[in-house]
Amino acid sequence: MAATESPETKQFRDDQTISDSTEERGGHQMLTTSSWQVISIPDNIRVKKSGSYIALTHNRNAQTAINVYTPRRRDEMHCHPGSEHMFMVWQGQLTIRGIHEGEEVTLKPGELIHVKAGHYYQLCNDTDDILVLYQVATIPTKTAPVGRRSFRRAGDVTADEINDRGLA
């Protein structure tokens, strides 16, 4: 799969195309109707040194995006209090970690994970290859007080220890 650069980016909201000059905010559409938003995942993959987040579609109930992780890159441990997130591995290998015992799994292309709203997780590319994820996130019916919350926990396990887990 080749990474592409698109000079024109768009953000989609409830069947309207809104121009957006920020490259990582919107993807290239194939078709938009009053009922559909059609995109191509391969045509929207853009790799930047620090990784990429490319929003693809957006409506009242859900949004889709592509997350691109460069080799050995990972998120901090975090949660989304009002939003469920689903990640399907498109290319590469994803290791996802939670804060509870047994919450660590490595996924390959075609496999996915569904994370409940408010549950902590960390997305990790612990390999030397590019990781491309297709993401679906629900949009809460009531606005949550916080859209994303970083992991802060007192006790014997610190966020830094969890964030560094699995690094060689």
Side-chain angles (χ1 to χ4, degrees):
M1 258 171 263
T4 61
E5 290 291 334
S6 173
E8 179 183 342
T9 57
K10 298 181 181 193
Q11 179 176 347
F12 303 100
R13 293 199 181 275
D14 291 330
D15 304 322
Q16 293 179 346
T17 303
I18 302 168
S19 295
D20 189 339
S21 60
T22 306
E23 181 175 309
E24 292 187 2
R25 293 291 304 165
H28 175 72
Q29 71 175 359
M30 293 170 55
L31 172 68
T32 298
T33 73
S34 62
S35 303
W36 300 352
Q37 295 175 41
V38 182
I39 57 94
S40 164
I41 292 174
D43 288 349
N44 281 284
I45 296 172
R46 293 185 295 277
V47 181
K48 290 187 164 189
K49 197 181 229 183
S50 62
S52 302
Y53 173 88
I54 302 104
L56 299 174
T57 65
H58 188 118
N59 68 31
R60 280 185 296 269
N61 302 312
Q63 61 188 20
T64 64
I66 297 171
N67 296 315
V68 181
Y69 288 78
T70 53
R72 304 284 169 194
R73 183 152 177 92
R74 51 179 55 187
D75 285 350
E76 66 178 352
M77 183 69 65
H78 69 284
C79 74
H80 300 271
S83 178
E84 298 198 13
H85 282 68
M86 288 130 291
F87 299 95
M88 185 186 78
V89 178
W90 182 264
Q91 175 184 330
Q93 182 175 293
L94 166 68
T95 298
I96 185 165
R97 297 183 174 94
I99 60 172
H100 301 291
E101 188 69 32
E103 287 185 340
E104 181 170 332
V105 66
T106 299
L107 304 175
K108 298 181 286 282
E111 296 176 332
L112 67 89
I113 186 165
H114 184 148
V115 180
K116 288 183 179 180
H119 288 255
Y120 284 93
Y121 66 93
Q122 178 188 35
L123 302 174
C124 308
N125 179 5
D126 292 337
T127 73
D128 293 325
D129 298 318
I130 296 292
L131 168 63
V132 179
L133 302 175
Y134 172 71
Q135 172 189 327
V136 177
T138 62
I139 297 174
T141 54
K142 285 181 150 184
T143 303
V146 176
R148 176 181 166 133
R149 180 171 287 153
S150 295
F151 179 78
R152 304 285 184 257
R153 177 177 157 181
D156 58 349
V157 178
T158 67
D160 287 338
E161 288 171 330
I162 290 174
N163 283 345
D164 292 338
R165 195 169 54 189
L167 285 177

